[in-house]
């Protein structure tokens, strides 16, 4: 790299993944530009595990609610409550949470720029050119950089321009409505409980949810079926749950990827992270923790690339992520494939979740973000119970 670049790194996208990457790189002393389009809030239940607060030094005052249980509802309307135990599931509002992360990156030295990325292309001497517009109809601006991190969402322009077949990543289309919780609650709602609906009429291949957000709550659903009426079904769900007359604050929708891309870098100077890399957990749809983890790993890979000039270092982002979380994603993908097929299987899945061993290991894995290695016999028992419930074998039922 013999020509001077304006930036060491341009991070495209200021969600949890991009803001984390920009913060980490700025803290290392790199000249970073954080390019983010204004006014976009991703539809998200907002659940985060306690490990995220610790790993990324997030203050507890950003939590708008603490969920101490999850209640799952079967097609028959059978309800199973899964207490978290000694821990909790933190809930954040993405508009406040994401902005706090962007501000932190800025305070660390990253240069925040509001704009929409139009193009990423190669320049001489190994540099890249990032073209963007600050608003609709605004003039096209360009900057040169040594490296680019694409964290610009599920339909990432960076990924589609720089990575082969990136546009083919499978997605669930999510939609939710943020609703104001009235002072006098007149429906089946608790401020410290997450409700998850496994009912085919609400989602034929995923699930619907009601998540507490302090003074507000998120009610929504997802489906990979492009023709599924998300808005109309959410309206029906609000009528079903008794929330139809509660005040709607805002409505949001977006695709959410459920499979990591096979390659995250272009072998030159670009790497992707977060939704752009496809790191949303199958089955659960959890994405914030994994997005921030991928952002950090991409920042580490870019830092090594900038220090050595060896583009092979960019491969470390995906390699590190899959080593840490690939097995969990694989298992969750199998779960979604089998249990979300139809209402008969959903019914059995909810019944299986009434088992104490399933509940304990589920929460331990969620809190720690890794498969629980101790108590191997519990895993063996769950494996056979899983098969039993799948095939309807009475012998394994409690």
């Amino acid at each position: 790299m013999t020509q001077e670049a304006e930036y060491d790194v341009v991070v495209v996208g200021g969600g949890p993944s991009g803001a984390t990457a920009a913060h980490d790189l700025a803290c290392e002393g790199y000249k970073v530009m954080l390019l983010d389009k204004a006014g976009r809030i991703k539809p998200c239940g907002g659940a985060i595990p306690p490990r995220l607060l610790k790993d990324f030094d997030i203050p507890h005052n950003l939590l708008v609610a603490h969920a101490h249980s999850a209640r799952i509802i079967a097609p028959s309307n059978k309800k199973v409550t899964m207490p978290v135990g000694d821990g909790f599931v933190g809930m954040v509002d993405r508009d406040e949470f994401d902005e706090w992360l962007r501000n932190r990156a800025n305070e660390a030295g990253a240069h925040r720029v509001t704009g929409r990325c139009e193009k990423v292309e190669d320049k001489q001497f190994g540099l890249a050119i990032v073209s963007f517009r600050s608003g609709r109809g605004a003039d096209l601006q360009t900057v040169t950089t040594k490296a680019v991190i694409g964290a610009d969402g599920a339909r990432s322009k960076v990924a589609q321009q720089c990575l082969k077949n990136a546009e083919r990543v499978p997605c669930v289309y999510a939609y939710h409505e943020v609703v104001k919780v009235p002072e006098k609650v007149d429906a089946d709602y608790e401020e410290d409980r997450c409700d998850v609906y496994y009912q085919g009429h609400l989602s034929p291949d995923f699930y619907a949810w009601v998540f507490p957000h302090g003074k507000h709550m998120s009610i929504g659903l997802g489906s990979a079926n492009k023709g599924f009426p998300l808005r109309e079904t959410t309206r029906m769900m609000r009528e079903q749950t008794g929330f139809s007359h509660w005040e709607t604050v805002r409505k949001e929708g977006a695709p959410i990827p459920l499979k990591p891309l096979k390659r995250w870098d272009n072998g030159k100077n670009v790497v992707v992270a977060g939704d752009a890399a496809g790191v949303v957990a199958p089955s659960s749809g959890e994405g914030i923790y994994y997005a921030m983890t991928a952002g950090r790993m991409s920042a580490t890979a870019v830092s090594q690339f900038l220090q050595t000039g060896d583009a092979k270092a960019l491969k470390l982002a995906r390699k590190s992520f899959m080593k840490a979380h690939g097995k969990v994603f694989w298992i969750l993908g199998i779960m979604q494939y089998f249990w979300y097929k139809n209402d008969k299987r959903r019914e059995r899945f909810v019944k299986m979740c009434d088992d104490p061993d399933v509940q304990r290991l589920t929460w331990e894995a969620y809190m720690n973000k890794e498969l629980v290695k101790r108590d191997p016999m519990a895993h063996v028992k769950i494996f056979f119970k899983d098969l039993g419930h799948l095939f309807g074998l009475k012998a394994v039922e409690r």
Side-chain angles (χ1 to χ4, degrees), residues 129-150:
I129 301 176
V130 177
S131 304
F132 65 96
R133 298 182 192 275
S134 58
R136 185 170 296 179
D139 292 338
L140 190 68
Q141 302 180 59
T142 62
V143 294
T144 55
T145 180
K146 298 175 184 176
V148 176
I149 294 179

Side-chain angles (χ1 to χ4, degrees), residues 65-116:
H66 295 71
H68 294 101
S69 67
R71 186 176 67 169
I72 56 177
I73 299 95
S76 65
N77 218 37
K78 172 183 171 62
K79 300 176 178 66
V80 171
T81 299
M82 302 174 65
V84 176
D86 296 333
F88 64 89
V89 177
M91 310 301 298
V92 297
D93 279 337
R94 288 294 299 273
D95 54 343
E96 297 177 0
F97 183 71
D98 290 15
E99 181 62 13
W100 185 89
L101 292 172
R102 289 189 287 266
N103 282 334
R104 181 169 71 168
N106 180 241
E107 291 169 0
H111 178 210
R112 284 188 64 176
V113 175
T114 299
R116 181 186 296 271

Side-chain angles (χ1 to χ4, degrees), residues 20-222:
T20 298
H23 170 263
D24 286 5
L25 287 164
C27 286
E28 288 192 54
Y30 292 109
K31 190 175 182 181
V32 180
M33 173 177 159
L34 176 58
L35 177 65
D36 185 60
K37 54 189 179 183
R40 185 71 177 97
I41 306 172
K42 180 185 173 183
C44 177
I48 61 173
R51 179 173 172 179
L52 183 148
L53 303 175
K54 178 182 177 182
D55 286 359
F56 299 96
D57 195 22
I58 303 298
H60 283 247
N61 62 11
L62 283 177
L63 300 181
V64 295
H66 295 71
H68 294 101
S69 67
R71 186 176 67 169
I72 56 177
I73 299 95
S76 65
N77 218 37
K78 172 183 171 62
K79 300 176 178 66
V80 171
T81 299
M82 302 174 65
V84 176
D86 296 333
F88 64 89
V89 177
M91 310 301 298
V92 297
D93 279 337
R94 288 294 299 273
D95 54 343
E96 297 177 0
F97 183 71
D98 290 15
E99 181 62 13
W100 185 89
L101 292 172
R102 289 189 287 266
N103 282 334
R104 181 169 71 168
N106 180 241
E107 291 169 0
H111 178 210
R112 284 188 64 176
V113 175
T114 299
R116 181 186 296 271
C117 178
E118 296 287 344
K119 192 173 183 180
V120 177
E121 55 190 328
D122 286 330
K123 186 179 171 66
Q124 288 181 323
F125 310 112
L127 302 181
I129 301 176
V130 177
S131 304
F132 65 96
R133 298 182 192 275
S134 58
R136 185 170 296 179
D139 292 338
L140 190 68
Q141 302 180 59
T142 62
V143 294
T144 55
T145 180
K146 298 175 184 176
V148 176
I149 294 179
D152 50 335
R155 297 301 186 213
S156 164
K157 280 196 173 183
V158 176
Q160 291 183 22
Q161 291 176 15
C162 301
L163 303 177
K164 187 178 179 180
N165 298 326
E167 71 282 357
R168 297 182 182 178
V169 61
C171 289
V172 159
Y173 297 86
Y175 173 81
H176 83 147
E177 299 179 359
V178 177
V179 177
K180 185 176 181 180
V181 178
E183 291 186 9
K184 185 177 180 181
V185 175
D186 55 0
D188 185 9
Y189 173 81
E190 294 183 10
E191 63 182 10
D192 66 344
R193 185 189 70 208
C194 294
D195 286 349
V196 182
Y197 290 78
Y198 292 103
Q199 298 181 338
H201 70 285
L202 297 181
S203 175
D205 52 1
F206 203 56
Y207 64 81
W209 68 82
V210 174
F211 286 174
H213 279 217
K215 295 180 180 180
H216 302 96
M217 62 94 151
S218 163
I219 180 168
L221 51 95

Side-chain angles (χ1 to χ4, degrees), residues 370-376 379:
E370 59 185 15
L371 296 176
V372 182
K373 296 179 181 179
R374 64 175 181 270
D375 198 359
H379 286 281

